[in-house]
Amino acid sequence: MTVAVVGAGTIGLSWTTLMLAKGHTVRVTDPRPDLSEAVRDAVREFAPTVPGFAGDAEELLSRVEIVGSVEEAVDGVQAVQENGPERLEFKQDLFAAIEKAAPDSALLLSSTSGLTPSSMSSRMTAPQRLVVGHPFNPPHLLPLVELVGSSDREVARAKEFYLSLGKVAVVVHQEIRGHVANRLQRVLFEECVNLVEQGVVSMTELDDIVTNSVGVRWATVGPFLAFHLGGGPGGLRHMMSHLMPYIPSDVQQRLADQAETVYPLAQNESRAARRDRQQLGIISLKERDDDVR
Ligand SMILES: NC(=O)c1ccc[n+]([C@@H]2O[C@H](COP(=O)([O-])OP(=O)(O)OC[C@H]3O[C@@H](n4cnc5c(N)ncnc54)[C@H](O)[C@@H]3O)[C@@H](O)[C@H]2O)c1
């Protein structure tokens, strides 16, 4: 299919490479004067790090169309991935223009890190068409894309599209500034700043602490499954009642019930074995890179 990439900075160039690697024709627009060179250099640099891609970057470049306007970019396409500057008014005008020029059936997707779809779509005639497809940088390499939208149908179509690109597409059920991954990152980073500012640890010590503990753990099991497995035979229920008195008991109850439904205790042994295998793999890769800080 033909996809329009509107805005070719850090994120747009990365999406362009991924979409090309997945076989699509990509039409790119951005007012930057070095657009052609930027696309060429990015595709050559990023293509080797697209998971599973073993093809030729020059063949990918033969499927790029560089165009001079948003209207030209979105004409006749099946999907539009918007990656312009993170300014609300700018995106409101841009999506009004995209909606006018794109086919009625095209997916209209925004990479926005923080803005909500309802705020960005306020100047569209069919605002429910806009779906946030927020990647974790860089999208050609890291699997996550967070989906937020008001139309279940459009969100489902967007999900299908991102799955076809090999992404892990997670639907966020409510509009919330910063979606989910960046909200988590922000809380953790605020505490990193506090600890370094207070002199508790240096910057490199803090980085070593994270990359040798929660970094390895959370690459293999998320925060809930980690504590469900860490709680022994009683799982998350035991972990919370034993070590987390700051969580109200009714919340503990609800979360433990949920954990035992989605992660039945009977299979925790095999989940723990998989976690350990994956962590061993990550640790062995890290060791090979030890000389690079
Ligand atoms: N950088 C990240 O880590 C990251 C991660 C996920 C999502 N995002 C989101 O992706 C979007 C782009 O971020 P970025 O980091 O790539 O920014 P960037 O500044 O690198 O790129 C923005 C691009 O938009 C172009 N642009 C300006 N006006 C335009 C127009 N009228 N039409 C088309 N293009 C235009 C600029 O020339 C620039 O190349 C933002 O919404 C941001 O929140 C960023």
Side-chain angles (χ1 to χ4, degrees):
M1 73 197 228
T2 301
V3 183
V5 166
V6 176
T10 306
I11 295 302
L13 291 171
S14 177
W15 273 129
T16 298
T17 308
L18 178 68
M19 289 164 181
L20 290 167
K22 296 296 173 182
H24 300 303
T25 295
V26 182
R27 209 176 291 150
V28 188
T29 191
D30 187 308
R32 60 188 289 177
D34 63 341
L35 180 57
S36 298
E37 297 78 32
V39 170
R40 183 197 61 207
D41 294 350
V43 170
R44 285 179 182 162
E45 183 188 338
F46 298 157
T49 53
V50 172
F53 179 72
D56 175 13
E58 302 312 309
E59 188 279 320
L60 301 191
L61 286 167
S62 70
R63 282 184 277 112
V64 176
E65 297 170 11
I66 304 285
V67 297
S69 71
V70 170
E71 287 72 17
E72 231 181 312
V74 305
D75 181 36
V77 300
Q78 283 78 51
V80 179
Q81 184 78 42
E82 177 277 326
N83 324 275
E86 186 77 345
R87 292 198 313 271
L88 180 58
E89 293 245 311
F90 173 87
K91 296 219 196 244
Q92 287 171 334
D93 288 342
L94 186 57
F95 271 104
I98 288 173
E99 182 191 36
K100 267 201 197 106
D104 289 346
S105 57
L107 278 166
L108 305 184
L109 307 162
S110 171
S111 293
T112 182
S113 299
L115 302 171
T116 58
S118 63
S119 64
M120 286 185 295
S121 61
S122 64
R123 295 177 192 161
M124 293 170 69
T125 51
Q128 72 281 3
R129 289 186 64 194
L130 197 163
V131 177
V132 167
H134 169 245
F136 212 65
N137 190 25
H140 70 270
L141 177 57
L142 289 180
L144 179 68
V145 60
E146 294 172 312
L147 303 182
V148 198
S150 60
S151 154
D152 290 347
R153 180 175 171 271
E154 290 304 303
V155 170
R157 290 179 66 217
K159 184 168 181 173
E160 197 180 325
F161 171 61
Y162 288 123
L163 291 178
S164 77
L165 296 177
K167 306 296 286 178
V168 172
V170 178
V171 176
V172 175
H173 301 286
Q174 290 174 26
E175 289 198 341
I176 185 165
R177 273 193 70 87
H179 322 308
V180 174
N182 278 337
R183 292 176 72 92
L184 297 174
Q185 195 168 228
R186 179 186 161 147
V187 172
L188 189 65
F189 193 61
E190 266 180 6
E191 187 59 8
C192 295
V193 171
N194 287 339
L195 291 166
V196 169
E197 278 288 290
Q198 287 170 36
V200 176
V201 279
S202 71
M203 189 177 278
T204 54
E205 287 162 347
L206 185 132
D207 281 346
D208 283 343
I209 286 171
V210 171
T211 57
N212 290 287
S213 62
V214 289
V216 178
R217 176 183 286 172
W218 287 348
T220 62
V221 285
F224 283 107
L225 182 54
F227 283 142
H228 196 40
L229 297 179
L236 185 64
R237 194 178 302 277
H238 174 68
M239 190 71 157
M240 287 191 297
S241 67
H242 183 49
L243 293 175
M244 303 176 188
Y246 54 89
I247 301 178
S249 58
D250 61 320
V251 178
Q252 291 198 15
Q253 178 83 38
R254 278 197 298 278
L255 293 175
D257 289 348
Q258 198 178 139
E260 288 163 18
T261 303
V262 293
Y263 302 124
L265 284 164
Q267 283 125 43
N268 268 3
E269 214 172 299
S270 48
R271 287 192 192 96
R274 184 183 56 203
R275 172 202 62 193
D276 293 349
R277 277 195 308 277
Q278 293 181 348
Q279 291 187 354
L280 274 169
I282 292 169
I283 290 164
S284 67
L285 283 174
K286 279 163 59 72
E287 280 167 359
R288 276 182 243 151
D289 258 357
D290 246 6
D291 52 334
V292 187
R293 186 175 268 286

